[in-house]
Amino acid sequence: MGQGADPAASRAYAPAAQDSPFRDERTARDEAPQFVLPLVVRIERAEPPARTDALETAARAVLVMLSDERSVGAGEWAEAMRSWQDARIRKVVRRARGAEWRRAEALPGITVTGKSAEVRVFPPVPLDGWPKELARLQVSGTDLDDPELPPVDADPATPVLWLNPEVAMSAGKAMAQAGHGAQLAWWDLSDEDRTAWRETGFPLAVRTADPDRWPGLTTSGLPLVRDAGFTEIAPGSCTVVADHPALRG
């Protein structure tokens, strides 16, 4: 992760609340050239990552990309990042193993490692302009399991990305949604809180909310992802609430 990133510079990309890039209604963002943030998760046959760890690692990968010095100011990825954030904020997760993963690692990007997961995030590309090494990777059917008991409760001091308990998503879709939630939290934080989060390595947890708690989370004023409905789920579905301690009322 770049340590010289200017958090205030990336703040300029944050959209106004009434023009959220995650709403399903058509807005001026749909008229801009459309870009996508590619993420590739390493899934080897013998040792696939745990689902929760993959979701958390993908969310951290998005934050690492947003805060990297190459993504802001005059950085080499900054123009692509601005173009991506000026339009719909699309993220697509694909999977790779073996030689596919090695080819993906050779492209410019950042690999973020969790307990069992590896996710590589790349600078945004045009919607129809994927590098051939990534375009050939599979996108559908990416699913994973948590082989052990359900994840323990998150520490109250740790940012939590709460998943909607009533919306079923593949692991790949859930990874993208967790990334959306992390990005909304990043946009809403003060410069001081951004710096503190970045300097501690972006600790976070992804958990499925208790069904009884979910309605309260969606009306709490915390950042809320409403999916635009491009894949898997209905447009306007609430998928993630980003519960960062610094954003709690």
Side-chain angles (χ1 to χ4, degrees):
M1 175 173 56
Q3 295 301 309
D6 176 5
S10 54
R11 178 178 296 282
Y13 303 160
Q18 65 271 23
D19 187 23
S20 169
F22 302 110
R23 292 183 185 276
D24 58 306
E25 298 92 346
R26 189 170 183 84
T27 72
R29 289 180 171 276
D30 295 285
E31 308 306 321
Q34 299 297 302
F35 282 71
V36 61
L37 187 79
L39 298 104
V40 175
V41 56
R42 183 178 186 180
I43 304 181
E44 300 290 349
R45 281 198 181 97
E47 294 184 276
R51 180 185 174 97
T52 295
D53 188 43
L55 268 59
E56 293 172 350
T57 304
R60 280 195 298 273
V62 171
L63 293 165
V64 168
M65 175 58 77
L66 286 166
S67 63
D68 192 275
E69 60 190 0
R70 290 165 289 185
S71 296
V72 298
E76 61 185 287
W77 299 339
E79 183 176 354
M81 290 292 287
R82 284 191 291 270
S83 295
W84 171 58
Q85 293 184 86
D86 282 345
R88 290 283 187 175
I89 307 299
R90 300 191 187 198
K91 301 177 181 74
V92 172
V93 178
R94 300 192 174 193
R95 63 184 186 271
R97 63 173 180 263
E100 295 172 332
W101 175 256
R102 291 191 291 274
R103 285 192 291 269
E105 277 199 308
L107 297 176
I110 306 168
T111 297
V112 176
T113 303
K115 296 174 183 176
S116 61
E118 289 181 77
V119 175
R120 189 162 179 84
V121 59
F122 303 86
V125 297
L127 198 57
D128 57 355
W130 285 67
K132 65 180 185 299
E133 295 88 348
L134 303 183
R136 60 170 61 113
L137 299 177
Q138 292 294 315
V139 63
S140 62
T142 300
D143 216 343
L144 300 166
D145 295 312
D146 282 312
E148 301 175 355
L149 295 173
V152 299
D153 291 342
D155 187 321
T158 299
V160 181
L161 303 173
W162 294 106
L163 302 179
N164 186 338
E166 299 175 353
V167 174
M169 294 182 281
S170 68
K173 179 70 172 181
M175 289 169 70
Q177 296 298 301
H180 291 339
Q183 185 166 0
L184 286 182
W186 177 256
W187 279 343
D188 280 5
L189 288 171
S190 68
D191 294 342
E192 180 181 3
D193 289 326
R194 284 180 171 193
T195 298
W197 201 13
R198 186 181 70 238
E199 289 182 348
T200 53
F202 293 119
L204 57 85
V206 177
R207 298 290 186 269
T208 299
D210 184 276
D212 292 337
R213 189 182 178 196
W214 178 251
L217 285 169
T218 63
T219 57
S220 64
L222 291 166
L224 172 66
V225 178
R226 291 182 182 272
D227 191 63
F230 294 121
T231 60
E232 289 195 25
I233 60 180
S237 299
C238 299
T239 56
V240 179
V241 172
D243 182 9
H244 192 292
L247 300 177
R248 294 171 188 160

